[in-house]
Amino acid sequence: MPKSKICTQTRQESLEKLEPAKRKQDIITVLKTAKRPLTAREIKDWMEGLELLEQGSDMNGVRPRLTDLEAEGYVIIVGKKNDYKTGRPVAIYALAPANDEGQMRLF
């Protein structure tokens, strides 16, 4: 089997183990629970605190799903601030405004 096909397979298998739909729903749950916009690291911290994410997880458990949620219209970037750990500017995420019926679209 060609190397590129193996890499594609292993990436897909890894993604399936992550359960991206569940992770996205967990991020939405955190943003609803927090009742305020959060950075990716703050979302990760909340997820660890709510035991939705393993303690000590890296940011790769959250950032790609936030990108997905933004592209799908579930979250929006509402500003930026310096990350408390790195000191670098990072995006602040919030739930997207409700649709015409007053409810957020769900998965």
Side-chain angles (χ1 to χ4, degrees), residues 56-73:
S57 294
D58 67 17
M59 296 302 298
N60 290 327
V62 175
R63 283 191 187 122
R65 302 299 73 85
L66 278 168
T67 300
D68 293 346
L69 287 166
E70 183 186 11
E72 294 164 1

Side-chain angles (χ1 to χ4, degrees), residues 34-74:
K35 297 181 181 174
R36 66 181 175 88
L38 300 169
T39 67
R41 187 174 310 280
E42 292 168 339
I43 291 169
K44 179 188 82 73
D45 292 346
W46 272 77
M47 289 175 73
E48 289 176 347
L50 295 170
E51 298 181 357
L52 299 172
L53 192 62
E54 188 176 313
Q55 290 290 325
S57 294
D58 67 17
M59 296 302 298
N60 290 327
V62 175
R63 283 191 187 122
R65 302 299 73 85
L66 278 168
T67 300
D68 293 346
L69 287 166
E70 183 186 11
E72 294 164 1
Y74 294 105

Side-chain angles (χ1 to χ4, degrees), residues 27-28 30-32 34-40 42-43 66 69-70 73-80 91-98 104:
I27 290 170
I28 289 172
V30 165
L31 287 169
K32 285 181 178 180
K35 297 181 181 174
R36 66 181 175 88
L38 300 169
T39 67
E42 292 168 339
I43 291 169
L66 278 168
L69 287 166
E70 183 186 11
Y74 294 105
V75 300
I76 56 174
I77 295 174
V78 295
K80 66 180 182 176
I92 303 170
Y93 296 89
L95 292 173
M104 193 172 122

